[in-house]
Amino acid sequence: MSRTAAVPTEPSAAAGWRTASNEERRAGNVRQQRRADSISSERSNRTARAKRVSEPARHSGLGAHRQPGRATGPHGRPADGRSTGRLARRFAAACAAALTLFTAVPAMALPAGGNISPAADAAATAEYPVVLSIETVTPQLAVPNGTVSITGHVTNSGKSALKGAHAAVRKPVSSKPLQRRSELQGVASRTTPRGDDGTELDSPQYALPELKPGQSLPYTLSVAVSDLGLSESGVYELAVDAWGSTADNPRDRALGIARTFLPFSQGGTEAQPTKVTTLWPLVHAPVLAAQTTADNDQTLPVLRDDSLATEFAPGGRLYELVDTGSKLTGLSWVIDPDLLDAAFAMTGRYRVQKPGSEAAGKPAKDDNTVSHDASPAAEAWLNKLRAAVAKSGNQVIALPYADPDLASIAHNGADLTGMGTALDKAATAGRLTVEGRLFVDTRSDVAWPYQGYLDQQIAGIARQAGSSLVLANGASMPDPESVNYTPTAVRPIGNGQSAVVADDTVSSLFQKDLSSPQDQTEAAQRFLAETFTITHEQPQNQRGLLVMPPREMTAATAKVLAGALQTATDKWLTPVKLDTLTEVAPDPKANTAVPSSADYPTQVRATELPADALSGTDKVQRDLDTLMRVLTLPQRVRGPFSAAMVRSLSTEWRTRTTAGDNYRRGVDKYLTELTNAVQVPKKTVVTLAGNTGQLQVSVRNDLTQTVTNLKLRLTSSQPNRLRVGKDEDLVLPASQSVTLRFNAEARNNGPVTMTAQLYTTGPDPRPYGDPQVFRVEVTSVTNGVLYVFAGAAVLLVLAALRFFRQRKRRGGQPHEDGDQPVGDGPATDGPDGAAGAEPDEPDEPQETEEPEEPEEPEASEPDPSGSGSTGGSFAQTPRASSPDGLDRTAGDEKVGP
């Protein structure tokens, strides 16, 4: 027989139907009388009752439909109670069904404790304690004269055991299909059994044992398509319910229900198939670090973790995505170029940072990294991907390198000058990397903001980065209610840009990990139902549809999406690449207004990269530009650091906040360490004995390459007391240090603070590294000068007196020897006289180094001239070398390994 769900007119309280008042019962008797004809008809002809199905208006509300011929009381109980004849017929029918099922599947018919497995708690109520699931529908598309098999589980989530229960398929309430997408949403939003879910079929039925609370049992039901009464092609509701009673409530009633959708095709439709573009993203959180290391003259990449080794192997997410996508046609592969570089890096030997060492930003060494051999899985994955994207009808879309977060930059960093530079480099590098790694042409002018949410600021940043096409979520650009069909996805948004708007309902089906059979079937059948309905809304108006799964689509979700696409292809869908979709003429009725930033979802904004993270990355760009000016081999550093900088902006850090912070911190510290490898060693006190002399300042280069375009400047805090000479240019070979001498002139004794700062040369000189501040102690300036002048005056007076006395004693007569010089005796050899002695050289200033970091002895400093001398003379900037003045910040070298 056929039976509809007996739905109570009001929810049951804790006491249930047993506490019903006399007033309720009297009201029920009145309602029973209104259905007397139906009751009589049911009792007189059971066969006719099974074929009679009432057809109330769809979505007419709770309890709008009642089973024909069944009068119910205030709680949905039969009006005639549990009469002997009625119960006997029910008992005989249940026994017959149970006998059939027990014979066919004896294990499933065991009482509780047999083949029944415990189930997790599910949402249930006292009135509807059973939770049903639909885990497979085979086939996904019904055809005339076919059979549909349904499997799932029945779980008792109530507080008492089930009594005399069975599961059965419901026949749709009307022979007409669901015509509108709003009707699909209405069915999907139901939570409890309703009359408009249809009538229960007599066959097949699945007898349930006495399930205790928390127990679950699988079921299988196969129904002939002809028994479902499907009159024409379209989408129908497919429902399975459980009917029976419980130990604490013997009332026979609907205990629970599960719903899905069943498309039905009779063939021969003249509807124009919808063009569907499916994005197939290959994205992963950045793993390549800024550091590299050398091994036997070979540069080895450094990875922050080895997670990709698992992802590339069979069973891994990225492997399964490529494997599943390779079986489809008309895909638009959306690829992060940084992922391809990581895979390529793993095809040779590489090193992986030890856990916890990333944020320290130290150079890669044996104590903080682990060596790994080349990964065969990475090479096999790249080859498999190359073959998949090369298939006819597919397209490759190159994301900007490392997939920078456009929304975060637009909202929190649009005023940072380095962000525009970073996006430009990322776009160029992205295209070159994808084409170079996959050997295919790509499209790189496509922007994909996080989850497709779009506003005016994001569109503006995308336009500045050169993106003429924006992939948007339908929730950002909903169509007006006056449009009662689904318009095509492409629409102009102004300023030379177009948006391809994904269908919000369809795309949302694949946002989570569809790992359970129930989720998989629910998503697949809903996808088929939605796309079938879209195509037949306006069968002669061919439109375009965009399906936008999440960036990190799981392998299970990808397989569900692929299966649904294969089912609908060449029936009501035609898969096309993105370029083909953009050629479809826009619908003038579609929404083309880009929302303001105030309309951006709050919960999505909360996950953005903060302003301080973006400003820190912008500082890294400026510091990197400064370092590039002084390096003679900038390509060794520019590539890894430019890539690391845009990786710091990756969209993937949205869901990995701590990992993103550690990555940015590590990049900043490592760049600082490289910059500080060229520095002025710390000093505290330098003594200048005299009014003039030379201040000696050393500069050290601990890099493995020569640095140039640098000058050292000494700045006195009191130039009226101590003046120093002009800036000194220098070219400093790798792993060497030089000592520069600055002329100094002092006018007063005492301490003077001095600052030593390196600067870049050429246009727009910048400070390089941290300044070093030390103190100069000036001694014997004024007193020494006075002593010299006073001594000279005394000597002159004494010489004059002596000369006068000699002349007076001689009386003015000449000496016997006319050639004898005037004096007391004969002339002496050698410059031994005080007056004739050469003045002493002023003492060199003495430096007092910090005791914890002493400067190396001068005699041991290498000779930068290459002569090999290690004498006491100070090493100087090689005269044969001079700053080349080249601007090393503007380079278009490819980002990445």
Side-chain angles (χ1 to χ4, degrees), residues 99 353 382 400 679 828:
L99 180 60
Q353 292 176 334
L382 276 175
Q679 64 173 337
T828 59

Side-chain angles (χ1 to χ4, degrees), residues 214-495:
Q215 289 186 322
S216 180
L217 183 72
Y219 72 85
T220 299
L221 294 168
S222 295
V223 59
V225 173
S226 57
D227 290 342
L228 293 175
L230 312 182
S231 62
E232 58 183 282
S233 296
V235 177
Y236 295 83
E237 178 187 354
L238 181 63
V240 176
D241 72 355
W243 194 283
S245 62
T246 57
D248 62 350
N249 186 348
R251 178 170 54 89
D252 193 21
R253 66 194 188 279
L255 301 173
I257 193 169
R259 305 175 180 86
T260 188
F261 297 97
L262 182 65
F264 173 62
S265 176
Q266 294 178 317
T269 179
E270 297 181 357
Q272 293 290 324
T274 299
K275 295 181 178 180
V276 59
T277 293
T278 304
L279 304 181
W280 205 260
L282 293 179
V283 176
H284 190 276
V287 296
L288 282 171
Q291 292 92 329
T292 58
T293 185
D295 182 29
N296 296 328
D297 297 329
Q298 180 184 5
T299 300
L300 299 183
V302 177
L303 278 61
R304 39 185 297 269
D305 60 48
D306 203 26
S307 59
L308 284 178
T310 303
E311 297 256 6
F312 291 148
R317 185 183 71 90
L318 292 173
Y319 177 91
E320 295 299 330
L321 286 179
V322 174
D323 185 64
T324 302
S326 65
K327 301 178 177 67
L328 302 176
T329 58
L331 281 186
S332 294
W333 297 80
V334 185
I335 302 176
D336 179 5
D338 180 45
L339 175 62
L340 301 182
D341 269 349
F344 183 77
M346 294 173 65
T347 59
R349 293 183 56 233
Y350 62 97
R351 301 191 71 89
V352 176
Q353 292 176 334
K354 291 183 178 179
S357 64
E358 177 186 6
K362 295 295 182 181
K365 297 181 180 179
D366 290 341
D367 61 346
N368 58 11
T369 61
V370 178
S371 178
H372 287 258
D373 293 331
S375 170
E379 185 171 2
W381 182 83
L382 276 175
N383 292 332
K384 191 176 185 67
L385 176 60
R386 290 174 183 135
V389 300
K391 289 180 61 176
S392 177
N394 288 345
Q395 182 176 11
V396 176
I397 299 169
L399 290 172
Y401 195 91
D403 191 18
D405 192 337
L406 290 178
S408 295
I409 294 174
H411 296 154
N412 304 324
D415 57 339
L416 300 174
T417 56
M419 292 296 103
T421 303
L423 291 177
D424 290 341
K425 289 183 176 180
T428 302
R431 176 179 57 82
L432 294 176
T433 301
V434 174
E435 292 178 352
R437 301 294 189 213
L438 299 183
F439 318 129
V440 295
D441 293 331
T442 67
R443 179 167 186 172
S444 59
D445 64 337
V446 180
W448 187 13
Y450 180 65
Q451 293 185 356
Y453 286 105
L454 182 66
D455 62 23
Q456 295 173 5
Q457 288 181 328
I458 299 173
I461 284 290
R463 183 175 64 255
Q464 294 175 20
S467 298
S468 60
L469 196 66
V470 182
L471 304 177
N473 189 329
S476 293
M477 301 181 65
D479 291 308
E481 294 183 358
S482 59
V483 180
N484 59 359
Y485 60 92
T486 304
T488 198
V490 182
R491 56 202 68 179
I493 57 175
N495 298 313

Side-chain angles (χ1 to χ4, degrees), residues 564-644:
L565 285 170
Q566 290 172 327
T567 298
T569 296
D570 297 331
K571 298 179 180 67
W572 61 87
L573 292 182
T574 299
V576 297
K577 59 186 180 181
L578 183 64
D579 281 352
T580 303
L581 182 65
T582 58
E583 296 171 356
V584 177
D587 192 318
K589 296 181 179 180
N591 179 21
T592 59
V594 178
S596 68
S597 60
D599 296 325
Y600 194 80
T602 303
Q603 69 275 15
V604 180
R605 190 185 293 270
T607 65
E608 291 179 342
L609 304 183
D612 58 348
L614 298 180
S615 60
T617 302
D618 190 56
K619 177 182 177 297
V620 169
Q621 176 67 64
R622 295 194 305 271
D623 293 345
L624 179 61
D625 291 344
T626 302
L627 180 61
M628 291 299 99
R629 295 185 178 203
V630 305
L631 299 179
T632 53
L633 297 173
Q635 65 273 15
R636 292 184 182 177
V637 177
R638 181 191 295 122
F641 263 103
S642 295

Side-chain angles (χ1 to χ4, degrees), residues 18 38 69 83 119 142 260 308 376 380 389 432 442 487 514 518 748 770 820 871:
R18 292 169 298 193
S38 297
S83 63
T260 188
L308 284 178
V389 300
L432 294 176
T442 67
L514 303 176
Q518 179 180 358
N748 292 297
D770 298 328
Q820 177 72 25

